[in-house]
Amino acid sequence: MTAQPDAVSGTAQAGQARQRAATDTGIRKLAVTSEGPAMTDRVDPRFGRAAGFVVVDLETMETTYVDNGASQVLAQGAGIQAAETLANAGVQAVLTGYVGPKAFTALTAAGIRIGQDVENVSVAEAVRLYTTGAVSFADAPNKPAGANK
């Protein structure tokens, strides 16, 4: 009698392999701009004026929520403030829809890598896209200055 592969352990092994692949980049803490605190909430396409950030530990898949309310009320500099908030949270990469030039510069200066054009999906789906290699990091901003006001 031959042993049948265990679909459950195969699925778990695939998940572990994806997590290893994601963390092979040296990124452990990933932030996703979000309309709310849950993995089921939608990705907020605005970086600086996003409602907040779901921060995911890619090794444990534990999440925390960082509120971005302070940046939302700023007349200007929301992206720079949000970048500082993420740097203080120890984030190493962010997934979002759009990032302007000042925020891009601030994130880059803080050593935070940027995945852009991530939108119309849940936070969980954005993380899955990242861990499967479907999100690449940006070399330049994809929005003009002040476009998200």
Side-chain angles (χ1 to χ4, degrees):
M1 191 181 242
T2 57
Q4 295 294 320
D6 183 352
V8 174
S9 65
T11 302
Q13 289 172 348
Q16 290 170 348
R18 282 193 303 272
Q19 287 179 7
R20 274 195 306 278
T23 57
D24 285 347
T25 62
I27 294 170
R28 179 175 176 170
K29 286 181 105 176
L30 176 71
V32 182
T33 54
S34 179
E35 294 176 353
M39 292 289 281
T40 54
D41 286 317
R42 305 289 291 172
V43 170
D44 192 327
R46 307 164 301 164
F47 172 71
R49 300 201 185 275
F53 306 94
V54 175
V55 178
V56 182
D57 182 315
L58 294 173
E59 290 182 7
T60 65
M61 296 310 282
E62 290 181 25
T63 63
T64 55
Y65 184 70
V66 177
D67 184 75
N68 193 39
S71 291
Q72 288 181 317
V73 298
L74 295 175
Q76 59 185 8
I80 295 169
Q81 178 64 45
E84 184 177 324
T85 298
L86 291 184
N88 290 338
V91 167
Q92 296 158 305
V94 62
L95 303 181
T96 189
Y98 306 103
V99 177
K102 292 178 185 175
F104 194 94
T105 299
L107 287 164
T108 303
I112 299 172
R113 300 186 73 189
I114 305 152
Q116 299 176 135
D117 301 315
V118 178
E119 55 187 314
N120 299 316
V121 296
S122 68
V123 172
E125 179 65 7
V127 172
R128 187 194 69 75
L129 290 169
Y130 172 76
T131 60
T132 59
V135 176
S136 58
F137 292 115
D139 295 324
N142 64 348
K143 206 65 162 169
N148 289 330
K149 291 181 182 171

